[in-house]
C-alpha cells in the first residue's frame, strides 16, 4: 500500500500517465509474486500485433492532410453544396470539421486548422459570436466516430485482444460508427438551420458552376473514404493494408502532385506524427501489462459482482457509464482512456449482455463529448488559446452544443440498432 500511495502522490505531482500505469502494474505483479519481466514482455508482444501498423500509418496521413491545403478545399466544397441552406455556413463547419477529424484523429488539430478561418467567416455572416465559438469548438471532435479515426482503430485493437463473444474487429467498428456519427451531425445541423433562419441572407444561391469547380479542386481528397471503406469492405484490404495505401496516396497527392508539402518539411511532420504514435504505444504497452494483472486477479469479475449489487439492468449500467465516461473524457485524453478502461469495462459490459461493438461506440461517443464538456474539456483550452477567448465564455458557449450532442448520446445508448444495423 505504501508503494501505491507513493505512485498516486507522484501522479498528482505530474508523473507521466504511462509511468503511473506501468508502476501500478509492477507493484501488482510484485505483490502477486510474478517476475517483473511480465511488464517488459507486453511491449515485446506489441510487435507481434499485425493490426498495429494501422495506427502510425493513418496518423502520418492525417498530419500530411493537416499541413496541406485540404481543409480549405473541404470547406469550399461543403460551402458549394450546403451554403445555400438556412444556417448553411454553420452546417459547412460541422461537416468539414467531422470529415477532417475522422482522418486526423485529433480534434485540436481540426480547431486550429479549420476553425481558424471558419470562426471569422461565421461572425462575418452575422452568426452570434457565442454560437460561433461553441460551434467550432464542439465540432472539432465530431468525426471521431467515423473511419478511419484513431480512437476507433485503437478501441478495436485493444478490445480485439479480449476474446469477447462476439469478437470486435476494426472493420465492424468502421461500420458501427456511421449512423451514430451521422445522428450527431444531423442534430447539430438542424439546430444550425434553426439559428440561421433569421439571419440576413448572406449565403449565395446554389450554383452548379461553383459545385463543379469545388469538386475539381477537391478531386484528390474525394477518393479517400472510398480507399479506406471500399478497400476494407470489398475484402481487398485489411485495415493495416488500407492504412498503408491511404498513406501512400496522401503522400503522392500532397508532396508530389499538389506540392503543398516540401521534402524539407517532411522530417518535421514525420517527427510530430510519430511522437503522438510513440505516446500511444508507450501507454498501450503499460496498459496491456496492467490489463494482464487485472485479469489474473479477476478484477473485472469483482467489478461486475459489485455493480450487480447496485445496478440491475444493462440500461442502468450504460447510463451510469455515460456519467463516468463524460467525466473521464473531460480530464483524460481519449487514447489513454481507451487503453486503460477498455480491458476493465468490456468484460463487465459483456456480462450485462451488451454487444462489445455497441459498447465501444457508446464509450467513444462519451469520450469525444468530454473533449468539449464544460468546464474543463481539453478542446476548451485549445479553442481559448486559438481564438483569444476567455475559458468561461467558451464554456458557456459550448453548453447548448453539449446538451444537443448529449441528447444524441442518449439515443445512441438506448438504441443499439444504430450501432449494429450495418454489421
Amino acid at each position: 500500500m505504501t508503494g501505491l500511495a507513493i505512485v498516486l502522490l507522484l501522479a498528482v505531482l505530474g508523473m507521466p500517465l504511462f509511468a503511473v500505469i506501468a508502476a501500478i502494474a509492477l507493484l501488482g505483479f510484485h505483490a502477486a509474486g510474478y517476475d517483473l519481466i511480465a511488464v517488459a514482455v507486453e511491449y515485446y508482444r506489441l510487435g507481434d500485433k499485425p493490426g498495429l501498423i494501422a495506427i502510425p500509418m493513418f496518423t502520418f496521413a492525417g498530419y500530411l492532410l493537416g499541413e496541406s491545403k485540404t481543409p480549405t478545399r473541404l470547406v469550399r466544397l461543403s460551402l458549394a453544396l450546403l451554403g445555400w441552406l438556412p444556417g448553411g455556413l454553420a452546417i459547412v463547419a460541422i461537416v468539414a470539421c467531422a470529415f477532417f477529424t475522422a482522418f486526423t484523429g485529433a480534434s485540436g488539430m481540426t480547431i486550429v486548422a479549420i476553425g481558424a478561418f471558419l470562426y471569422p467567416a461565421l461572425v462575418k455572416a452575422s452568426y452570434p459570436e457565442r454560437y460561433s465559438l461553441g460551434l467550432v469548438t464542439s465540432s472539432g471532435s465530431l468525426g471521431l466516430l467515423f473511419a478511419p479515426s484513431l480512437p476507433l482503430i485503437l478501441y478495436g485493437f485493444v478490445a480485439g485482444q479480449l476474446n469477447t463473444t462476439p469478437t470486435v474487429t476494426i472493420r465492424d467498428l468502421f461500420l458501427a460508427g456511421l449512423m451514430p456519427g451521422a445522428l450527431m451531425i444531423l442534430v447539430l445541423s438542424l439546430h444550425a438551420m434553426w439559428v440561421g433562419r433569421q439571419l440576413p441572407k448572406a449565403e449565395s444561391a446554389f450554383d452548379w458552376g461553383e459545385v463543379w469547380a469545388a469538386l475539381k479542386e477537391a478531386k484528390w481528397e474525394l477518393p479517400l473514404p472510398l480507399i479506406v471503406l471500399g478497400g476494407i469492405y470489398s475484402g481487398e484490404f485489411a485495415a493495416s493494408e488500407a492504412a498503408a495505401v491511404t498513406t501512400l496516396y496522401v503522400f503522392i497527392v500532397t508532396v508530389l502532385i499538389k506540392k503543398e508539402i516540401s521534402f524539407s518539411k517532411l522530417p518535421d511532420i514525420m517527427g510530430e506524427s510519430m511522437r503522438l504514435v510513440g505516446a500511444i504505444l508507450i501507454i498501450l504497452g503499460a496498459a496491456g501489462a496492467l490489463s494482464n494483472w487485472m485479469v489474473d486477479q479477476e478484477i473485472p469479475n469483482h467489478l461486475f459482482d459489485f455493480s450487480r449489487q447496485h445496478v440491475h439492468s444493462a440500461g442502468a449500467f450504460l447510463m451510469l457509464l455515460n456519467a463516468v465516461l463524460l467525466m473521464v473524457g473531460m480530464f483524460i485524453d481519449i487514447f489513454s482512456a481507451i487503453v486503460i478502461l477498455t480491458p476493465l469495462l468490456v468484460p463487465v459490459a459483456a456480462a450485462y449482455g451488451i454487444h462489445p461493438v455497441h459498447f465501444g461506440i457508446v464509450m467513444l461517443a462519451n469520450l469525444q463529448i468530454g473533449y468539449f464538456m464544460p468546464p474543463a474539456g481539453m478542446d476548451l483550452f485549445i479553442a481559448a488559446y486559438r481564438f483569444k477567448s476567455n475559458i468561461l465564455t467558451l464554456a458557456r458557449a459550448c453548453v447548448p452544443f453539449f446538451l444537443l450532442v448529449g441528447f444524441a448520446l442518449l439515443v445512441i445508448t438506448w438504441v443499439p440498432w444504430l450501432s449494429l444495423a450495418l454489421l
Side-chain angles (χ1 to χ4, degrees), residues 8-170:
L8 294 178
L9 176 61
L10 291 173
V12 172
L13 295 176
M15 182 178 179
L17 182 60
F18 80 90
V20 174
I21 300 170
I24 294 174
L26 287 168
L27 289 172
F29 281 118
H30 177 71
Y34 291 105
D35 194 322
L36 299 186
I37 196 66
V39 176
V41 167
E42 192 60 32
Y43 284 97
Y44 176 79
R45 287 180 57 222
L46 286 178
D48 293 330
K49 308 294 185 184
L52 194 65
I53 191 64
I55 294 177
M57 288 289 99
F58 277 128
T59 302
F60 182 47
Y63 270 77
L64 286 175
L65 290 172
E67 291 293 327
S68 69
K69 295 181 181 178
T70 294
T72 305
R73 289 190 287 271
L74 290 179
V75 170
R76 181 185 180 187
L77 177 60
S78 301
L79 195 59
L81 293 172
L82 304 171
W84 57 277
L85 293 168
L89 184 59
I91 298 174
V92 166
I94 295 166
V95 173
C97 286
F99 182 90
F100 189 71
T101 302
F103 275 90
T104 62
S107 58
M109 185 185 296
T110 300
I111 292 171
V112 172
I114 292 185
F117 53 87
L118 276 177
Y119 171 63
L122 287 164
V123 174
K124 185 177 180 180
S126 300
Y127 286 87
E129 183 175 356
R130 180 176 291 186
Y131 173 83
S132 302
L133 275 174
L135 180 69
V136 296
T137 303
S138 58
S139 296
S141 64
L142 281 183
L144 296 181
L145 290 181
F146 293 119
S149 85
L150 288 181
L152 271 179
I153 296 171
L154 189 59
Y155 175 82
F157 178 79
V158 176
Q161 312 302 312
L162 301 178
N163 298 318
T164 56
T165 303
T167 57
V168 178
T169 67
I170 295 174

Side-chain angles (χ1 to χ4, degrees), residues 325-382:
L325 289 177
L326 284 173
M327 296 300 294
V328 170
M330 184 166 59
F331 292 107
I332 301 178
D333 74 273
I334 195 168
F335 304 114
S336 302
I338 290 169
V339 297
I340 295 169
L341 297 179
T342 299
L344 186 63
L345 296 178
V346 166
V348 179
Y352 278 103
I354 299 169
H355 196 294
V357 171
H358 174 227
F359 174 82
I361 296 302
V362 171
M363 179 179 181
L364 295 176
N366 275 283
L367 294 175
Q368 78 168 22
I369 295 173
Y371 263 169
F372 66 89
M373 178 178 171
M378 189 184 306
D379 283 354
L380 296 178
F381 295 93
I382 294 174

